[in-house]
Amino acid sequence: MLNKLESLLATTSIELSLEQKQQLVAYVDMLNKWNKAYNLTSVRDPKQMLVRHIMDSIVVSPFLQGTRFIDVGTGPGLPGIPLAIVRPDSHFTLLDSLGKRVRFLRQVQHELGLTNIEPVQSRVEEFIPEPPFDGVISRAFASLQDMLSWCHHLPKPLEGRFYALKGVLPEDELAQLPAGIVLEKAISLQVAELDEQRHLVILKSN
């Protein structure tokens, strides 16, 4: 698995220490083990998890600005845990409303010794950020409209950003952004061994 991860990483500009690579592989091992009982992801093959969960998450790392992030609807910790491993100087709040997922996140935190994540069980609209975040991240979450509606209170006013990890670029959603929100960038992402479109949509207040 470590060799597989290294060959995938070689297609990117992301450089990681051996410890970081081992943490990513250990996370996939835990995901695979807990998945049998908890049904955390539809991806069953650990090697596919490296592509579809690890690489798919960390390709956005170079585009994140700031050090305090919240991953809303994190599920089993995607993209928050892989990002926390590759960005040890940043802090990630991992928010999910489902208890079994948050229990898994706490076990990952414990086993991998991740001091820069905080798993939280809450509905996103009820979570009070203190202080507000540099970035609000979502992957496979709702539409941009729903994300903005539910998460509007989470980022810092003005300099905070919304990072939506999408497949195909959601042109129709971008055409209907609410007043006060603008598209800063839409970045086409390449994920090794993934023959599907991936985009990072970055939104901010104007």
Side-chain angles (χ1 to χ4, degrees):
M1 286 287 282
L2 195 56
N3 289 341
K4 174 72 175 171
L5 177 61
E6 287 181 333
S7 72
L8 291 167
L9 283 168
T11 66
T12 73
S13 59
I14 298 170
E15 293 187 10
L16 301 179
S17 68
L18 178 59
E19 185 189 8
Q20 286 171 306
K21 293 172 192 171
Q22 288 169 335
Q23 283 179 316
L24 289 170
V25 169
Y27 170 58
V28 168
D29 286 343
M30 289 187 70
L31 196 51
N32 185 44
K33 189 169 74 181
W34 281 59
N35 204 32
K36 295 174 176 69
Y38 275 52
N39 200 24
L40 298 166
T41 167
S42 59
V43 181
R44 299 285 178 222
D45 174 12
K47 286 192 172 165
Q48 276 300 301
M49 288 180 187
L50 284 178
V51 174
R52 294 187 162 272
H53 291 335
I54 302 300
M55 299 305 298
D56 203 28
S57 294
I58 67 176
V59 288
V60 305
S61 177
F63 306 104
L64 301 180
Q65 297 180 43
T67 56
R68 288 188 70 256
F69 301 94
I70 182 167
D71 177 10
V72 292
T74 188
L78 298 164
I81 284 177
L83 286 171
I85 291 170
V86 303
R87 295 173 69 99
D89 296 334
S90 295
H91 187 273
F92 292 82
T93 296
L94 308 178
L95 194 73
D96 204 274
S97 59
L98 217 60
K100 69 175 185 179
R101 293 184 188 141
V102 175
R103 280 195 295 281
F104 171 70
L105 297 174
R106 291 196 176 119
Q107 191 62 29
V108 171
Q109 180 180 30
H110 172 68
E111 285 194 27
L112 301 190
L114 295 177
T115 56
N116 63 332
I117 64 169
E118 183 187 358
V120 176
Q121 183 179 349
S122 173
R123 291 170 57 86
V124 64
E125 55 269 43
E126 292 165 4
F127 179 72
I128 307 301
E130 197 52 57
F133 294 94
D134 296 318
V136 178
I137 304 171
S138 77
R139 174 182 187 260
F141 197 57
S143 67
L144 294 177
Q145 280 69 23
D146 284 346
M147 180 190 183
L148 293 165
S149 164
W150 296 335
C151 306
H152 64 90
H153 60 299
L154 298 177
K156 287 179 180 172
L158 298 179
E159 67 260 42
R161 285 170 174 77
F162 294 94
Y163 299 93
L165 284 66
K166 295 283 192 179
V168 177
L169 193 65
E171 305 272 8
D172 51 337
E173 294 175 21
L174 288 169
Q176 299 170 38
L177 292 177
I181 297 289
V182 292
L183 172 67
E184 183 173 71
K185 250 185 224 158
I187 300 158
S188 178
L189 302 167
Q190 299 299 317
V191 181
E193 296 187 21
L194 192 61
D195 192 21
E196 297 167 23
Q197 286 193 47
R198 287 290 185 270
H199 288 87
L200 175 63
V201 175
I202 307 176
L203 307 172
K204 64 170 191 167
S205 302
N206 63 352

